[in-house]
């Protein structure tokens, strides 16, 4: 299959799907608290997507049986929702795709649950920056390798491991289209970037080495050294001129995250008052 470039109208449709992923992740974020299971979070995502007239893209993809991938701590991606209970100090990546009007949107966010080790927090913030460093390079005239190189350089500057086995990808009527968008590579390598290219850029960055293992469940990818890993993903479109358009959005997710923090603080304050 060749790269399928999208018209401005098609980009708007992919944006609608991608924004719904952001809203779904924001809804999941509001429930992201110690005590909830990853299966419950998956059900919340599934209900929200269907209530909004869309279909969870992952469900049924290669016989995948969930609406989200939820990967905790040393799990990198493709974590299977389960009875695993989220606890304070965890970092939790939630990856969701939706199909609406036949078009796919794909996005992922890694959450901190309550107070998290500085080591984890730093990993998240650098991975976040890697995503935006990659996005910046998605302009007409550059090559896919320029995106890859920007992600890799920033991660390696911080001595993090860059996962190679899994890559970003084209997005459109299908979840995975051409081209592959690796998170490592040489400047000036790979396919030329033209207007209408729609891709998911998704750095997977490990606190330790780049080495990965797959669990016996046939899906979950974990770090070989058991150190934590982070994952952020946006679906973006290359515009005829100027910077790329980010079709998914973290805005509502981050509002939900802030509200969570605020509520936790209020509850803690009250408990302190009670004790006094
Ligand atoms: N966002 C992931 C990807 O782009 C999700 C695919 S997981 C699957 O590859 F469940 F759909 F397989
Ligand atoms: Co993806």
């Amino acid at each position: 299959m060749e790269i399928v470039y999208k018209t401005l109208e098609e980009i708007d449709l992919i944006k609608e799907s991608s924004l719904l992923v952001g809203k779904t992740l924001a809804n999941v974020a509001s429930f992201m608290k110690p005590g909830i299971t990853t299966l419950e979070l998956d059900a919340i995502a599934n209900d929200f997507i269907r209530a909004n007239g869309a279909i969870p893209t992952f469900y049924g993809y290669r016989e995948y049986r969930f609406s989200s991938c939820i990967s905790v701590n040393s799990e990198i991606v493709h974590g299977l929702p389960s009875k695993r209970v989220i606890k304070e100090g965890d970092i939790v990546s939630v990856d969701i795709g939706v199909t609406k009007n036949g078009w796919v949107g794909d996005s992922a966010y890694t959450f901190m649950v309550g107070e998290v080790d500085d080591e984890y927090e730093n990993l998240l913030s650098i991975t976040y920056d890697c995503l935006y460093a990659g996005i910046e390079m998605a302009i007409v005239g550059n090559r896919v390798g320029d995106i890859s190189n920007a992600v890799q350089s920033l991660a390696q500057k911080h001595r993090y491991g860059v996962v190679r086995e899994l890559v970003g990808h084209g997005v459109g009527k299908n979840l995975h289209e051409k081209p592959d968008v690796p998170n490592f590579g040489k400047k000036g390598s790979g396919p030329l970037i033209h207007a209408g290219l729609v891709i998911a850029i998704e750095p997977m960055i490990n606190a330790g080495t780049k080495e990965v293992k797959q669990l016996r469940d046939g899906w979950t990818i974990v770090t070989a050294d058991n150190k934590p890993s982070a994952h952020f993903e946006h679906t973006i479109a290359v515009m005829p001129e100027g910077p790329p358009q980010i079709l998914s959005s973290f805005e509502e997710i981050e509002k939900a995250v802030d509200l969570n923090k605020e509520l936790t603080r209020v509850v803690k304050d009250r408990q302190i008052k009670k004790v006094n």
Side-chain angles (χ1 to χ4, degrees):
M1 269 289 277
E2 284 310 296
I3 297 174
V4 183
Y5 296 92
K6 278 78 183 180
T7 65
L8 292 176
E9 290 74 20
E10 289 168 340
I11 289 172
D12 276 343
L13 287 162
I14 299 173
K15 185 174 191 171
E16 199 182 323
S17 302
S18 302
L19 288 178
L20 179 55
V21 179
K23 288 205 171 84
T24 308
L25 286 169
N27 194 238
V28 168
S30 66
F31 290 92
M32 184 65 78
K33 287 175 190 161
I36 196 156
T37 68
T38 55
L39 198 57
E40 286 167 329
L41 293 172
D42 184 71
I44 288 161
N46 181 56
D47 292 348
F48 190 87
I49 293 164
R50 294 185 190 276
N52 281 279
I55 292 167
T57 313
F58 299 176
Y59 193 95
Y61 181 86
R62 297 194 179 169
E63 296 180 11
Y64 193 72
R65 281 292 164 256
F66 303 96
S67 302
S68 61
C69 298
I70 306 188
S71 312
V72 184
N73 299 338
S74 62
E75 297 173 353
I76 304 167
V77 287
H78 300 174
L80 302 179
S82 71
K83 289 180 179 158
R84 179 176 188 155
V85 178
I86 296 300
K87 54 182 199 327
E88 173 100 13
D90 283 343
I91 55 169
V92 184
S93 143
V94 183
D95 187 350
I96 291 177
V98 315
T99 307
K100 196 172 182 183
N101 306 308
W103 294 93
V104 174
D106 187 11
S107 181
Y109 198 92
T110 304
F111 298 93
M112 297 191 281
V113 182
E115 292 291 322
V116 160
D117 270 8
D118 287 350
E119 186 200 351
Y120 283 43
E121 197 164 341
N122 202 42
L123 173 68
L124 292 202
S125 96
I126 300 303
T127 307
Y128 193 102
D129 291 348
C130 283
L131 169 59
Y132 284 89
I135 291 173
E136 239 176 68
M137 302 308 284
I139 52 175
V140 171
N142 275 358
R143 289 178 182 270
V144 170
D146 296 315
I147 300 174
S148 307
N149 185 263
V151 172
Q152 180 182 20
S153 304
L154 181 54
Q156 288 184 345
K157 196 173 119 192
H158 294 269
R159 305 192 183 288
Y160 289 142
V162 179
V163 174
R164 290 163 191 253
E165 286 78 358
L166 300 125
V167 296
H169 48 93
V171 177
K173 286 191 174 291
N174 301 297
L175 174 62
H176 293 142
E177 299 189 358
K178 287 276 147 205
D180 280 354
V181 184
N183 295 304
F184 62 95
K186 289 197 169 65
K187 276 185 198 164
S189 70
L192 250 180
I193 295 174
H194 299 289
L197 180 72
V198 177
I199 50 176
I201 302 179
E202 48 179 321
M204 288 152 258
I205 307 296
N206 299 345
T209 70
K210 65 182 188 320
E211 260 61 58
V212 308
K213 282 190 313 197
Q214 186 172 42
L215 296 187
R216 268 197 261 274
D217 63 20
W219 283 98
T220 315
I221 309 291
V222 300
T223 56
D225 59 11
N226 225 23
K227 292 197 176 163
S229 181
H231 177 217
F232 289 89
E233 176 177 23
H234 269 315
T235 298
I236 66 116
V238 175
M239 305 312 282
E241 49 190 67
Q245 200 187 346
I246 303 177
L247 304 178
S248 43
S249 170
F250 291 160
E251 209 177 304
E252 300 206 29
I253 300 170
E254 283 161 1
K255 271 191 210 152
V257 165
D258 287 345
L259 188 61
N260 253 358
K261 272 193 207 144
E262 184 64 20
L263 291 174
T264 311
R265 208 177 49 75
V266 170
V267 171
K268 276 199 185 132
D269 279 358
R270 280 214 192 151
Q271 283 165 344
I272 290 165
K273 272 188 200 131
K274 259 196 220 160
V275 171
N276 292 340

